[in-house]
Amino acid sequence: SHTGALLHRLFAESLPEGLVGLVQGAGEVGAALVAADVDMIAFTGSSATGQATMHTAATTMKRRVLEVGAQDPTLALPGAGPP
């Protein structure tokens, strides 16, 4: 999504190179990422896919952040504007 790419760019510009990565795609892409040798996963999507992600990630004790059920929180700080 455009929002995910924008957030990635903002983080990548202010953090050490290689610290933050972005992978976007359908279920098979997410499944490959969860199975990969990574330390943490942040997922936004359906509750059913979130459950599958949580289950698979738990078997390897990966840290995870899940935003499921189409209820994305948004925080706009004073002075925020378009990029």
Side-chain angles (χ1 to χ4, degrees):
S1 80
H2 177 70
T3 303
L6 176 61
L7 285 172
H8 175 261
R9 190 181 91 218
L10 291 172
F11 281 121
E13 288 174 354
S14 58
L15 295 171
E17 186 175 337
L19 185 64
V20 177
L22 173 67
V23 177
Q24 296 180 320
E28 63 277 357
V29 174
L33 177 62
V34 173
D37 183 22
V38 296
D39 295 325
M40 182 174 185
I41 297 166
F43 168 79
T44 302
S46 72
S47 296
T49 303
Q51 281 183 318
T53 299
M54 187 167 43
H55 174 74
T56 303
T59 62
T60 57
M61 299 299 291
K62 286 182 177 79
R63 291 173 295 181
R64 56 214 173 269
V65 175
L66 305 176
E67 175 54 47
V68 296
Q71 309 230 352
D72 268 353
T74 301
L75 176 63
L77 301 174

